[in-house]
């Protein structure tokens, strides 16, 4: 196997491991075992655990960006007034991405690891690039874009708690209180 292929395999193993245990609690030994490589080899590919975490988080952001781009190519027709067909297509694609819980959980762990300045800088840059890309794809005003990402964060929290759509019905939650 070529080094770039092995590197990609290690990143995929790191995505799964960090998604499960987070940055602080996941050992490089565990990632090496999942990837089927030695720990010294892992450190030859990635100089530090931090570099490996950043590569794994970058891979998750890349999946999201690619999913958003695919969703934008499939706008949702016949929506009520006020809904953007491209954003709806992107939102549908994001719902599909959330089926892979490792993408969701590594995002949450990436945000939680932002007390590390290097990780924080990387996550800010990647999240900003994602917002910018959705802006390019949709062309919606900033306020609508903000609402889209706010709704996405609500979906992240709901998905992390494994809530159903009915349980996330915002109007119902506001009216009835906790279930």
């Amino acid at each position: 196997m070529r080094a770039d292929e092995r590197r990609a395999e290690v990143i995929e193993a790191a995505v799964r491991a960090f998604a499960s245990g987070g940055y602080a609690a996941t050992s490089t030994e565990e990632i090496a075992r999942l990837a089927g490589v030695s720990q010294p080899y892992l450190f030859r590919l990635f100089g530090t655990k931090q570099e490996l975490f950043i590569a794994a988080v970058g891979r998750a952001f890349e999946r999201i960006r690619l999913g958003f781009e695919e969703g934008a190519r499939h706008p949702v027709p016949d929506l009520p007034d006020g809904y953007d067909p491209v954003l709806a297509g992107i939102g549908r694609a994001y719902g599909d991405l959330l089926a892979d819980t490792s993408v969701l959980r590594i995002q949450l762990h990436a945000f939680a690891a932002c007390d590390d300045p290097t990780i924080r800088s990387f996550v800010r840059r990647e999240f900003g690039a994602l917002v910018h890309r959705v802006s390019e794809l949709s062309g919606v005003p900033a306020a609508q874009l903000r609402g889209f990402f706010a709704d996405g964060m609500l979906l992240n929290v709901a998905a992390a708690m494994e809530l159903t759509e009915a349980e996330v019905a915002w109007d119902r939650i506001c009216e009835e209180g906790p279930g």
Side-chain angles (χ1 to χ4, degrees):
M1 184 176 292
R2 295 187 339 241
D4 60 333
E5 292 169 332
R6 178 61 73 187
R7 183 178 172 86
E9 281 188 357
V10 171
I11 290 171
E12 290 303 321
V15 167
R16 291 189 311 275
F18 285 127
S20 179
Y23 178 57
T26 301
S27 71
T28 54
E29 183 178 301
E30 177 186 353
I31 296 167
R33 184 184 50 73
L34 282 172
V37 300
S38 69
Q39 195 173 18
Y41 184 72
L42 184 138
F43 282 112
R44 280 197 298 274
L45 292 174
F46 302 91
T48 65
K49 179 180 174 180
Q50 181 190 65
E51 288 176 27
L52 179 56
F53 182 72
I54 286 171
V57 170
R59 178 65 182 118
F61 271 107
E62 177 186 32
R63 281 190 191 134
I64 295 166
R65 180 185 50 77
L66 292 172
F68 282 5
E69 289 172 351
E70 179 63 23
R73 287 190 284 275
H74 303 282
V76 177
D78 305 320
L79 295 170
D81 287 342
Y83 289 91
D84 182 81
V86 173
L87 284 183
I90 293 170
R92 181 181 289 163
Y94 189 61
D96 293 343
L97 282 169
L98 289 182
D100 177 357
T101 58
S102 65
V103 171
L104 166 68
R105 290 191 324 248
I106 198 164
Q107 280 184 77
L108 298 174
H109 284 299
F111 298 138
C114 281
D115 61 331
D116 177 300
T118 302
I119 293 170
R120 179 177 53 244
S121 177
F122 180 79
V123 171
R124 281 181 177 179
R125 189 171 51 253
E126 290 295 309
F127 188 76
L130 195 60
V131 171
H132 182 74
R133 185 66 180 131
V134 172
S135 176
E136 289 176 336
L137 292 167
S138 67
V140 299
Q144 194 171 4
L145 187 66
R146 181 180 177 277
F148 174 79
F149 275 92
D151 287 347
M153 288 299 174
L154 176 61
L155 290 174
N156 283 355
V157 171
M161 293 186 288
E162 297 182 5
L163 296 175
T164 66
E165 274 190 53
E167 291 170 318
V168 182
W170 194 252
D171 294 340
R172 185 189 65 78
I173 292 170
C174 292
E175 290 172 11
E176 299 173 12

